[in-house]
Amino acid sequence: IRFLGYDINSRTMTVSWPQEKHLRLSKQLDLFFLAYDKAQPISCRLIARLLGLVRNGGFVCPTGIFWSLRIQFSLNDAVRQAALRSGRHCVPAKLCSEGAVDLRILCGILQPDREHSSYWERPIGLLIRRTPTFTWTGDASYDGLGAWSKEHMLMWRIWKEDLTQLGFAMVLFTEPSEVDPIDALHINYLEFLVIILNTWIALKMCQLIDPLNQHHHIGLFLSDNTSALSWTAHAACTKHTAVHHLTCFLQALLTFTPSNFIYQNQHI
């Protein structure tokens, strides 16, 4: 059946984004890049159409909410800058290169030639909050990172020396000081890295436990850092390039995993 713009299959128990919407978004993106590649301004109407379609598809695409927020902020900035230059409220805008990169990535996961796409289809059971099937608890300090999961029977630890050898800029002592490297990682980044590593390990465990992908896996990831938790959903709101890159990686893991997986987090 078709309900509120989505295809709902009661036999496979899935919700998918209709193929005609893939085609519409693909055409709008073609118009966008036709103007962008020629360094021409982008109309407000085209921007509004892009945002509406991306936000609509984001309901069933695991990475959709992230991309819709990223694109929204990039396009909003472009319109705001154009309005400041012209003194009018709605004028053609020029998007920054980073926003264009986001849209090109979005093109890569669109599949307008296929009736159903695994990237834009989700089991109904994964669109609602569920009781977790496993939990990962992680923490970070300036001395290192670590986490454990009772259900997966795994515990891991990475020391500061390991991170330094891998090329991460770390503070010299147990707390930040004036002699630290300029690019030394803040504790929020380290906490975020723990969440991403836990998600990566959990996805791998789901594939090992359920190679035929016959079950739903609901992961609950606990952290005592509110900034790291918020970045998993609202990284588009921050201007930090490192956070954007880390979140892109996390969203890619969640989007391209073959497992029926739902990500949940909670502050502890």
Side-chain angles (χ1 to χ4, degrees), residues 100-265:
V101 169
D102 290 339
L103 289 173
R104 291 194 192 278
I105 294 174
L106 185 63
C107 290
I109 62 173
L110 274 180
Q111 296 178 314
D113 56 332
R114 296 181 58 182
E115 184 175 354
H116 294 289
S117 166
S118 59
Y119 305 145
W120 301 82
E121 179 178 274
R122 294 286 273 169
I124 293 173
L126 296 186
L127 292 175
I128 57 176
R129 194 162 184 88
R130 300 264 299 280
T131 301
T133 55
F134 63 86
T135 300
W136 272 90
T137 304
D139 200 8
S141 75
Y142 288 110
D143 284 329
L145 322 173
W148 73 289
S149 171
K150 176 182 177 181
E151 293 80 10
H152 286 160
M153 294 185 291
L154 280 177
M155 180 182 291
W156 62 267
R157 178 68 189 257
I158 301 176
W159 297 98
K160 177 197 289 188
E161 292 75 16
D162 301 321
L163 293 169
T164 303
Q165 288 181 6
L166 290 170
F168 290 87
M170 302 293 292
V171 301
L172 298 180
F173 308 108
T174 56
E175 293 294 334
S177 67
E178 296 180 354
V179 296
D180 293 330
I182 297 177
D183 56 346
L185 293 179
H186 189 272
I187 189 64
N188 291 349
Y189 295 101
L190 297 174
E191 296 274 11
F192 192 31
L193 194 57
V194 171
I195 294 174
I196 293 173
L197 289 172
N198 283 342
T199 306
W200 196 356
I201 294 169
L203 289 170
K204 185 63 177 179
M205 290 300 299
C206 291
Q207 293 176 38
L208 292 173
I209 295 169
D210 181 26
L212 298 180
N213 198 22
Q214 296 177 316
H215 305 285
H216 290 179
H217 304 276
I218 298 90
L220 177 62
F221 298 86
L222 303 177
S223 174
D224 64 354
N225 187 284
T226 53
S227 294
L229 290 173
S230 68
W231 285 341
T232 62
H234 304 293
C237 302
T238 179
K239 299 296 184 181
H240 295 294
T241 302
V243 175
H244 285 165
H245 290 170
L246 286 171
T247 310
C248 287
F249 179 70
L250 174 61
Q251 297 297 329
L253 286 175
L254 297 174
T255 297
F256 300 110
T257 177
S259 300
N260 286 322
F261 184 84
I262 185 169
Y263 171 92
Q264 298 177 357
N265 63 39

Side-chain angles (χ1 to χ4, degrees), residues 35-81:
Y36 179 83
D37 291 340
K38 295 180 180 179
Q40 296 176 349
I42 314 298
S43 71
C44 290
R45 180 172 296 180
L46 177 56
I47 289 174
R49 288 173 178 168
L50 281 172
L51 275 176
L53 285 167
V54 173
R55 195 170 289 122
N56 184 252
F59 176 68
V60 291
C61 179
T63 190
I65 300 300
F66 170 72
W67 287 121
S68 67
L69 285 171
R70 286 268 291 176
I71 293 165
Q72 176 184 331
F73 281 102
S74 296
L75 294 175
N76 285 352
D77 286 343
V79 172
R80 189 179 300 111
Q81 292 298 323

